C-alpha cells in the first residue's frame, strides 16, 4: 500500500513542498528565497494540498528535512511539521538533509565513487558528511572549513553534492577525480525516505539537526 | 467561544485554552529559566531551540487537560510579536500549521495587547483604563480605550524596569532573575534597619516633564557605589542588601512618579480611566505594588493587578486577546508574519535606545 505524505524542506535557500503518494508527487511547489521562509511555507503547503485535491485527514505522515541547514529555516520546517502532526494525529518524520542530499544525487544516476554531501552553513565552515556509492553514511557529520575537510577525505574518486558543493571546489582542486553534482533536493526524496521509515515503524518525532551549539558565552567568574 | 493560545516570545513556552465566559480552562507554562541561568540572561538561540522542543507536547497536554480536541476550539491565537524572532517564528508557524490542518482561524496576537487586555480576563473591568506594563522586556504606560485602541503615554528610553532589577542583581552578585533576589535582599536590609537613602541613589526622571522612564543612569550610579564599597563580588552582605533596598526604593519611586504623571495626563486630556492596571512580572514586587496603589488612591481610582500567573508571560492572556479580537470582528490572520518589533501604538514617537521595549 502506498502512503500519502506531505513532504517539505525549508532548511536552505528555498522552500519546497510536495504532496506525494507512493513517493510520486501529485503536486509540488518550490520557491527559491534567501529569507521569509516562515511567511511562505504554510501558504505553499496549503497550495499543494489544494492542487492535489487532498484533505489533511487523508495524510499518512508528514516528512520534513531536519538539516543541518539554516537554524531558522530548520525550526520553521519542524514547527510546521509538528503542528500538522498534532492536528492530524499522524507522525512528523524528520529526514536528515545529508542522507536526503545523497539520495538526491543517486536519483540522478548510479554513483561510481564515494559521495561527499556539503551543506552551506553561511559561515566559513561547511556541514559535510561522507557516504559510500550506495548512499550509506560512512563517517560522522563534520563542521569544518573546506581545507580541513579536504584533509580528512580518503583518496580516490569523489562525487560532491549538496547546496555547499561549489564551496568545496577550490579546496579539492588538487585532486584528480572530483565531480560536482548540483542535484535538487526534491521533496519526493523526503517522502520516499519517510515512507520507508513508516513501514519500519520508525516514529521518532522530527527534531532539527543543528550540528552547532548556540552562540552564547558563559559569564566570566568575578575577579 | 473557545480559543487556544500559544506564547513563545521570550523564555517561557506556554499554551492555554480560555472561553468567552472569562474561564481559563487550562493554562500551562514551561519556564526555560534553568537553561538560561548560567548565562545570566536569556540567550535567543537557546530559547528558540527550547520552544521548538516543547511546544507540541505542551499544546497536546493543554488539549488533554482541557478535555477537548482541536476540533472543539474556535480559533488558534499565537503571539506574533514583539519579542525574540526565533521563538516567535516557532509559535506562529506551529499555530498556523494547527489552524491549517484543522480548518480553524489563526490569530496573530501582539504580546503587549495580551498584557493590555488581561485585566478584562481577570477582573472584567471596563474601558478605558490606564495600564502600566512593567516587565523584563517592557516598561510603558498605555491608555487602553478599546480593542485595538491603545495610546502610549510613556515608555522607557533605555532599560526596562525588570532589566534594572536584573542588571542591579548582577552588580550586587545576587543572581538571576534579579527581581525576586533584590526583593528578598531588600527585605533583609529593612529588617536589619538599613536606611534606604544612605547611598543617595538617583531617582530617575523624578519630577521631569513627560511620562517616559529611564533606568540606565540608576544602573551606572549603582555600579559606582558597588565599586566604592569594594567592587563586584566583594561586597559585605550588609552593604549588598542595603544597596538592594536602595535600588528597589529608587525604582519604586520612579515608577510611581511617572505613572502618576501618565494618569494626570490621561485625565487632563478628557479620558476617564476606570482603573490603574499594573501588569508585567515587576508588578509582583510588593514594594512597587504598594507605591502604585498609593498613586491610584491619590487619583481616586482602584488599582487592579491581575494575578501573577497573568502578569508573567503566559498563553491565557494570548487566548483571551484572541477572544476579544474575534468578538471585535477579526478574521483569519494566517498571512500575518511574526515580527520582533510591534508597537501597540504605532503613532507613538520612537523611543531612542529602547528598541523592542517601546
Amino acid at each position: 500500500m502506498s502512503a500519502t505524505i506531505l513532504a517539505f524542506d525549508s532548511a536552505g535557500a528555498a522552500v519546497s513542498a510536495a504532496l506525494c503518494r507512493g513517493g510520486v508527487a501529485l503536486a509540488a511547489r518550490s520557491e527559491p528565497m534567501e529569507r521569509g521562509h516562515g511567511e511562505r511555507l504554510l501558504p505553499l503547503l496549503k497550495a499543494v494540498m489544494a492542487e492535489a485535491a487532498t484533505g489533511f485527514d487523508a495524510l499518512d505522515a508528514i516528512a520534513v528535512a531536519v538539516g543541518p541547514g539554516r537554524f531558522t529555516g530548520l525550526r520553521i520546517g519542524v514547527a510546521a511539521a509538528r503542528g500538522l502532526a498534532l492536528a492530524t494525529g499522524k507522525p512528523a518524520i524528520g529526514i536528515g538533509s545529508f542522507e536526503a542530499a545523497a539520495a538526491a544525487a543517486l536519483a540522478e544516476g548510479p554513483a561510481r565513487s564515494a559521495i561527499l554531501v556539503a551543506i552551506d552553513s553561511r559561515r566559513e565552515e561547511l556541514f559535510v558528511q561522507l557516504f559510500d556509492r550506495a548512499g550509506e553514511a560512512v563517517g560522522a557529520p563534520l563542521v569544518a572549513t573546506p581545507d580541513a575537510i579536504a584533509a580528512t577525505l580518503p583518496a580516490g574518486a569523489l562525487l560532491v553534492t549538496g547546496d555547499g558543493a561549489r564551496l568545496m571546489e577550490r579546496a579539492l582542486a588538487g585532486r584528480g577525480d572530483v565531480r560536482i553534482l548540483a542535484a535538487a533536493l526534491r521533496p519526493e526524496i523526503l517522502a520516499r525516505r519517510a515512507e520507508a521509515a513508516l513501514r519500519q515503524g520508525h516514529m521518532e518525532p522530527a527534531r532539527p539537526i543543528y550540528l552547532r551549539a548556540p552562540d552564547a558565552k558563559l559569564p566570566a567568574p568575578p575577579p | 467561544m473557545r480559543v487556544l493560545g500559544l506564547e513563545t516570545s521570550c523564555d517561557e513556552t506556554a499554551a492555554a485554552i480560555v472561553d468567552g465566559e472569562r474561564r481559563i480552562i487550562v493554562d500551562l507554562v514551561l519556564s526555560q529559566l534553568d537553561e538560561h541561568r548560567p548565562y545570566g540572561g536569556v540567550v535567543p538561540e537557546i530559547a528558540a531551540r527550547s520552544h521548538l522542543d516543547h511546544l507540541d507536547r505542551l499544546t497536546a497536554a493543554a488539549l488533554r487537560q482541557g478535555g477537548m480536541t482541536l476540533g472543539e476550539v474556535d480559533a488558534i491565537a499565537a503571539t506574533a510579536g514583539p519579542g525574540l524572532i526565533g521563538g516567535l517564528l516557532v509559535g506562529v508557524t506551529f499555530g498556523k500549521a494547527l489552524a491549517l490542518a484543522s480548518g480553524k482561524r489563526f490569530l496573530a496576537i501582539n504580546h503587549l495587547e495580551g498584557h493590555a487586555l488581561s485585566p478584562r480576563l481577570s477582573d472584567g473591568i471596563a474601558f478605558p483604563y490606564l495600564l502600566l506594563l512593567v516587565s523584563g522586556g517592557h516598561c510603558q504606560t498605555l491608555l487602553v480605550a478599546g480593542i485595538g485602541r491603545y495610546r502610549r503615554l510613556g515608555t522607557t528610553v533605555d532599560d526596562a524596569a525588570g532589566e534594572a532589577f536584573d542588571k542591579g542583581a548582577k552588580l550586587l552578585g545576587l543572581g538571576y532573575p534579579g527581581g525576586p533576589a533584590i526583593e528578598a535582599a531588600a527585605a533583609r536590609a529593612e529588617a536589619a534597619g538599613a536606611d534606604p537613602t544612605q547611598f543617595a541613589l538617583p531617582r530617575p526622571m523624578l519630577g521631569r516633564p513627560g511620562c517616559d522612564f529611564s533606568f540606565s543612569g540608576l544602573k551606572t550610579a549603582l555600579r559606582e557605589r558597588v565599586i566604592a564599597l569594594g567592587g563586584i563580588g566583594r561586597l559585605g552582605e550588609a552593604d549588598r542588601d542595603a544597596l538592594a533596598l536602595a535600588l528597589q526604593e529608587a525604582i519604586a519611586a520612579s515608577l510611581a512618579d511617572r505613572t502618576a504623571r501618565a494618569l494626570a495626563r490621561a485625565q487632563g486630556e478628557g479620558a476617564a480611566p476606570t482603573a490603574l492596571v499594573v501588569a508585567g512580572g515587576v508588578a509582583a514586587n510588593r514594594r512597587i505594588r504598594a507605591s502604585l496603589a498609593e498613586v491610584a488612591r491619590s487619583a481616586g481610582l482602584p488599582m487592579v493587578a491581575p494575578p501573577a500567573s497573568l502578569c508573567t508571560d503566559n498563553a491565557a492572556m494570548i487566548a483571551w486577546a484572541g477572544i476579544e479580537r474575534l468578538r471585535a470582528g477579526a478574521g483569519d490572520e494566517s498571512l500575518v508574519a511574526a515580527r520582533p518589533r510591534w508597537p501597540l501604538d504605532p503613532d507613538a514617537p520612537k523611543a531612542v535606545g529602547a528598541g523592542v521595549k517601546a
Side-chain angles (χ1 to χ4, degrees):
Chain A
M1 201 201 85
S2 61
T4 302
I5 295 177
L6 177 60
F8 49 94
D9 178 6
S10 59
V15 171
S16 310
L19 190 276
C20 302
R21 192 162 297 138
V24 177
L26 304 183
R29 300 270 177 103
S30 182
E31 294 180 8
M33 65 185 68
E34 277 306 314
R35 46 191 302 133
H37 297 60
E39 283 145 67
R40 290 303 303 149
L41 178 59
L42 273 308
L44 220 63
L45 298 182
K46 191 176 178 182
V48 296
M49 293 298 282
E51 193 183 322
T54 302
F56 283 92
D57 53 358
L59 293 180
D60 294 304
I62 296 105
V64 62
V66 292
R70 306 175 183 202
F71 292 172
T72 299
L74 285 181
R75 275 195 287 271
I76 286 164
V78 173
R82 288 190 176 191
L84 296 175
L86 180 57
T88 58
K90 299 297 161 54
I93 299 172
I95 306 297
S97 299
F98 285 128
E99 58 162 282
L106 288 170
E108 306 271 319
R112 293 184 308 273
S113 68
I115 304 167
L116 179 74
V117 177
I119 295 175
D120 186 0
S121 80
R122 299 206 294 176
R123 297 196 198 180
E124 201 190 336
E125 296 174 321
L126 293 177
F127 300 129
V128 295
Q129 191 172 17
L130 197 62
F131 292 79
D132 66 19
R133 54 190 294 180
E136 292 295 322
V138 176
L142 197 66
V143 190
T145 62
D147 287 332
I149 292 161
T152 68
L153 294 172
L158 194 63
L159 174 66
V160 187
T161 192
D163 70 2
R166 294 265 162 228
L167 302 169
M168 281 301 298
E169 225 169 357
R170 194 194 47 78
L172 296 174
R175 292 176 63 116
D177 191 6
V178 173
R179 188 161 72 99
I180 307 271
L181 176 68
L185 207 185
R186 286 171 296 120
E188 294 94 301
I189 305 272
L190 303 174
R192 281 174 213 152
R193 298 190 81 80
E195 189 163 348
L198 202 57
R199 263 192 239 107
Q200 288 160 14
H202 180 76
M203 293 293 169
E204 278 281 295
R207 60 175 58 244
I209 300 168
Y210 294 107
L211 281 195
R212 221 192 321 245
D215 279 330
K217 246 173 56 191
L218 284 168
Chain B
M1 187 187 290
R2 293 194 196 105
V3 169
L4 168 67
L6 306 171
E7 158 64 37
T8 58
S9 68
C10 191
D11 61 343
E12 338 264 357
T13 311
I17 302 167
V18 172
D19 75 9
E21 313 298 311
R22 293 175 36 217
R23 276 189 294 252
I24 298 175
I25 296 166
V26 57
D27 181 17
L28 303 180
V29 182
L30 201 65
S31 172
Q32 302 173 1
L33 201 53
D34 291 339
E35 292 170 69
H36 298 288
R37 199 191 311 272
Y39 302 95
V42 177
V43 180
E45 178 63 22
I46 292 176
R49 291 184 183 192
S50 184
H51 286 305
L52 181 58
D53 282 345
H54 300 297
L55 184 59
D56 62 339
R57 274 184 294 130
L58 199 70
T59 305
L63 288 166
R64 199 170 50 242
Q65 289 178 29
M68 66 188 72
T69 64
L70 206 51
E72 293 168 272
V73 304
D74 294 277
I76 291 135
T79 302
L84 300 172
I85 190 66
L88 292 171
L89 276 167
V90 168
V92 163
T93 306
F94 178 78
K96 286 179 181 176
L98 286 181
L100 175 63
S102 61
K104 303 292 176 181
R105 269 180 290 187
F106 174 80
L107 297 163
I109 304 293
N110 183 314
H111 179 85
L112 300 175
E113 184 170 43
H115 279 300
L117 298 176
S118 64
R120 289 170 53 80
L121 170 60
S122 61
D123 294 82
I125 67 170
F127 298 122
Y129 50 88
L130 187 87
L131 171 77
L132 168 66
L133 177 58
V134 267
S135 67
H138 306 282
C139 188
Q140 49 187 286
T141 43
L142 288 157
L143 183 66
V144 182
I147 309 298
R149 294 173 59 210
Y150 312 103
R151 196 154 76 82
R152 198 188 74 197
L153 298 174
T155 179
T156 180
V157 295
D158 41 55
D159 290 347
E163 260 179 307
F165 275 109
D166 281 340
K167 291 176 178 175
K170 213 171 188 172
L171 285 171
L172 296 175
L174 283 168
Y176 174 84
I182 296 270
E183 187 171 7
R188 287 194 297 270
E190 228 165 0
D195 173 8
T197 62
Q198 78 178 102
F199 297 107
L201 283 182
R203 303 281 163 98
M205 311 293 271
L206 213 68
R208 292 252 201 106
C211 313
D212 284 345
F213 303 87
S214 166
F215 295 102
S216 69
L218 180 59
K219 177 184 63 192
T220 305
L222 180 69
R223 184 195 304 277
E224 284 165 5
R225 306 297 187 279
V226 168
I227 288 167
L229 288 167
I232 298 167
R234 292 184 185 151
L235 293 180
E237 278 180 24
D239 282 344
R240 180 196 66 193
D241 291 353
L243 275 168
L245 174 63
L247 178 69
Q248 178 175 279
E249 287 298 316
I251 295 172
S254 183
L255 287 174
D257 176 76
R258 310 319 290 168
T259 304
R261 281 180 165 272
L263 208 45
R265 183 162 143 198
Q267 287 170 327
E269 290 174 5
T274 60
L276 168 63
V277 177
V278 185
V282 176
N285 181 291
R286 280 175 294 259
R287 177 69 187 91
I288 285 169
R289 230 177 233 256
S291 61
L292 293 167
E294 187 50 42
V295 170
R297 195 158 38 240
S298 303
L301 293 177
M303 184 183 90
V304 174
S309 62
L310 281 177
C311 274
T312 49
D313 286 352
N314 69 91
M317 71 178 187
I318 301 303
W320 174 252
I323 285 175
E324 294 250 39
R325 297 203 40 235
L326 282 177
R327 284 178 175 158
D332 180 62
E333 296 170 345
S334 286
L335 295 177
V336 176
R339 46 196 291 203
R341 288 186 185 217
W342 187 0
L344 208 42
D345 177 359
D347 298 330
K350 237 178 138 176
V352 184
V356 297
K357 286 163 284 199

